[in-house]
Amino acid sequence: MVLLLGIGLLAGIVTAISPCVLPVLPILLAGGASGRSPLRVIAGLVASFSVFTLFATWILDRLGLPQDTLRNLAIALLFVLAGMLLAPRIAVLVERPLAGFSRIHPRGTQGGGFLFGTTLGLVFVPCAGPVLATVTVVAANEDVGLRAILLTVFYAAGAALPMLAIAYGGRGTATRLRQHARSVRLVSGAVVAVVALGLVLHLDDHLATLTPGYTSFLQTRIEDNATAKRELAKVRGGGTALAATHASRGGLPDYGSAPQLHADGAWINSPPLSIAALHGKVVLVDFWTYSCINCLRTLPHLKAWWAAYHDKGLVIVGVHTPEFAFEHVTSNVRAAVKRLGVSWPVMQDNRYRTWDNYANQYWPAEYLIDRQGRVRHTHFGEGEYAQTEALIRRLLGDTGARARAVADATPSGLMTPESYLGYARLTNYVGRNPVPDRFTQYTFPGDLTSNTLAYDGEWRVGSEAITAGKGARLRLRFEASNVYIVMGGRGTVRALVDDKPAGTIHVDAQRLYTVRTGRPTDALLELRFSPGVQAYSFTFG
């Protein structure tokens, strides 16, 4: 635990010396100049950042409010504070209803320092690294434990230390400036107003892209080493990957007893199963999700094995661990299972509990378990189907006819990587910085290099998906034979490849759609969307 908290503290210090902290510093200095205690301001920042990083999603979901509500509220409070500093009459109007609190709070600006810091905590967005990513995943899964709480507090405290040093370092200057109280008050109000306006215009988003080399170097050394990965895995609830260490028994690897299956959602095609109940069977645990093209390409092989070996003692358990929010919905998963012809048991793993039990990191992933309940083979991604089938036959003791032959469709050669479209995992994007969670006008850049994409027209960029508005278009310079896109909503999408019409896609559900198939090519794809259609990610083959 001490090692984990040390990693969190150092990671916080690193983020505080990056450009991401710049929007907070002018307000912090302005607060000091107006007489607020730096220690109380920082305490408020640490408290609000910790609480709302861990619990904001849960709170807002229960209230049915948008995820940017707290940020918008904090920005509004900053504008109110700026008004109070610039115009004493506004301060009187604001303070009059709050006069009763003077009985329980210290008088003067010192007492307002904590509340001031609480507001800063809601607009403080550190540059993300493995520590913050771990906390975010835990919070999203609503599985916050003592380790996660302490890690978040120490991370926030680490980020606060350099800011506290800066605030106290400028305190002497602030004391001298208070001799010119009126001028200082006006300048402080102007500073707070300018920063608040910058937050409204999302100018702080640009700072997240300005991560200097020294910050990346320090993050790698502190947060991304083997020790840090092991400690952060404990926070997420995952253990050491099964493939990381193993013994050998009977000429096959032995990764130990199979972890338990913990469904979070429905069982489909079967009553609930457990590893203990499957003792005496050969079990293939398949981690998948229905909009993943890599997973879909494995299905013909799984169908062939199920048909050939199910009566001989093979059980396939599909662990459906969702990648996108719509994949949590049971009716969507049931419809996909029926549409795709999946006839073996499928369990929903909406909170990643089984995923974490296996310390899994991939879609698809296969874990082959023998009749004694021990994991004897693992494979991540596509391919090696002949080897997996041979091991199934060996564990079954089967010497009869093999399963129906299925061609291996695993792509080979150079290919554009999977590209996400929402801001949380936006990759390979060029153009103006996305404005989160509201419709904004975008324009294509002059040219796109290989494996890059851009928006044009009106789009609302969400954390997972982009939603088309008026004149919405999307361009992608790709290198692949086949292009797929995950979409939702209802409407049409017209496709052009190198400015030539390539068909129209009719979107009627949240699933994977085929944009293009054919020979390998390096080309420019343009998609033209009707309003309301959502796009999540591109995949290729």
Side-chain angles (χ1 to χ4, degrees), residues 359-499:
N360 187 49
Q361 301 178 50
Y362 306 95
W363 292 281
E366 317 294 341
Y367 297 84
L368 187 59
I369 303 168
D370 67 15
R371 295 182 188 273
Q372 288 72 47
R374 301 185 71 82
V375 179
R376 307 305 299 277
H377 173 69
T378 63
H379 179 71
F380 308 120
E382 301 174 67
E384 297 188 8
Y385 300 111
Q387 179 185 357
T388 301
E389 183 183 0
L391 292 171
I392 291 173
R393 291 169 60 84
R394 179 172 175 177
L395 293 177
L396 287 172
D398 181 55
T399 58
R402 301 179 66 86
R404 173 179 55 85
V406 177
D408 187 346
T410 305
S412 59
L414 294 175
M415 187 170 60
T416 298
E418 184 172 13
S419 301
Y420 294 93
L421 299 172
Y423 62 75
R425 291 186 289 177
L426 185 60
T427 52
N428 308 322
Y429 170 80
V430 294
R432 68 166 291 182
N433 275 10
V435 177
D437 303 314
R438 66 179 182 182
F439 279 104
T440 304
Q441 195 73 24
Y442 296 87
T443 304
F444 285 141
D447 191 21
L448 287 180
T449 58
S450 183
N451 302 330
T452 59
L453 60 92
Y455 312 141
D456 186 81
E458 191 176 56
W459 287 99
R460 185 178 68 212
V461 182
S463 62
E464 285 191 347
I466 54 176
T467 302
K470 185 176 180 181
R473 297 189 294 166
L474 184 62
R475 279 183 183 170
L476 167 74
R477 174 70 67 178
F478 71 93
E479 187 173 356
S481 299
N482 307 323
V483 181
Y484 310 91
I485 185 171
V486 178
M487 294 190 291
R490 291 186 177 275
T492 58
V493 179
R494 292 176 53 213
L496 297 91
V497 177
D498 287 338
D499 295 325

Side-chain angles (χ1 to χ4, degrees), residues 242 247-259 274-285 312-315 358 366-378 388 391-397:
L242 289 174
S248 181
R249 186 163 59 90
L252 287 179
D254 186 343
Y255 298 100
S257 297
S274 67
I275 294 297
L278 293 170
H279 195 81
K281 301 285 188 179
V282 173
V283 181
L284 181 64
V285 175
K312 299 178 180 180
L314 174 69
V315 176
Y358 281 76
E366 317 294 341
Y367 297 84
L368 187 59
I369 303 168
D370 67 15
R371 295 182 188 273
Q372 288 72 47
R374 301 185 71 82
V375 179
R376 307 305 299 277
H377 173 69
T378 63
T388 301
L391 292 171
I392 291 173
R393 291 169 60 84
R394 179 172 175 177
L395 293 177
L396 287 172

Side-chain angles (χ1 to χ4, degrees), residues 54-296:
L54 289 169
F55 301 110
T57 297
W58 183 87
I59 293 170
L60 294 172
D61 282 348
R62 296 306 182 276
L63 296 175
L65 297 173
Q67 291 297 314
D68 58 352
T69 298
L70 293 174
R71 174 186 166 94
N72 292 339
L73 176 62
I75 293 172
L77 291 174
L78 289 178
F79 276 118
V80 171
L81 175 62
M84 292 171 65
L85 292 169
L86 291 169
R89 288 188 178 182
I90 295 178
V92 171
L93 292 174
V94 172
E95 290 170 358
R96 186 175 295 159
L98 303 177
F101 287 99
S102 63
R103 300 185 183 93
I104 56 175
H105 288 294
R107 294 183 180 273
T109 55
Q110 293 286 335
F114 187 84
L115 179 61
F116 184 71
T118 300
T119 302
L120 288 185
L122 295 177
V123 296
F124 175 46
V125 182
C127 294
V131 169
L132 187 58
T134 294
V135 171
T136 302
V137 168
V138 169
N141 291 336
E142 298 181 9
D143 190 23
V144 178
L146 178 62
R147 284 179 178 270
I149 293 172
L150 291 177
L151 177 63
T152 306
V153 170
F154 271 72
Y155 178 84
L161 287 176
M163 290 189 279
L164 189 63
I166 292 171
Y168 271 110
R171 205 174 186 190
T173 302
T175 300
R176 290 192 296 272
L177 288 174
R178 281 199 294 273
Q179 297 174 6
H180 309 280
R182 185 175 181 280
S183 298
V184 169
R185 186 182 182 100
L186 292 174
V187 172
S188 297
V191 168
V192 173
V194 168
V195 173
L197 181 61
L199 293 170
V200 169
L201 300 175
H202 291 274
L203 298 182
D204 55 317
D205 295 341
H206 294 269
L207 298 174
T209 67
L210 300 177
T211 306
Y214 68 84
T215 302
S216 299
F217 173 82
L218 291 172
Q219 275 189 339
T220 300
R221 291 294 182 272
I222 294 169
E223 302 181 59
D224 210 22
N225 59 67
T227 301
K229 288 178 179 178
R230 183 179 66 249
E231 293 298 316
L232 293 176
K234 295 177 183 177
V235 178
R236 294 191 300 271
T240 303
L242 289 174
T245 178
H246 65 271
S248 181
R249 186 163 59 90
L252 287 179
D254 186 343
Y255 298 100
S257 297
Q260 293 302 310
L261 304 173
H262 285 289
D264 183 55
W267 276 90
I268 302 169
N269 296 335
S270 168
L273 299 174
S274 67
I275 294 297
L278 293 170
H279 195 81
K281 301 285 188 179
V282 173
V283 181
L284 181 64
V285 175
D286 169 52
F287 285 91
W288 74 300
T289 184
Y290 75 78
S291 72
C292 163
I293 184 59
N294 311 84
C295 301
L296 299 184

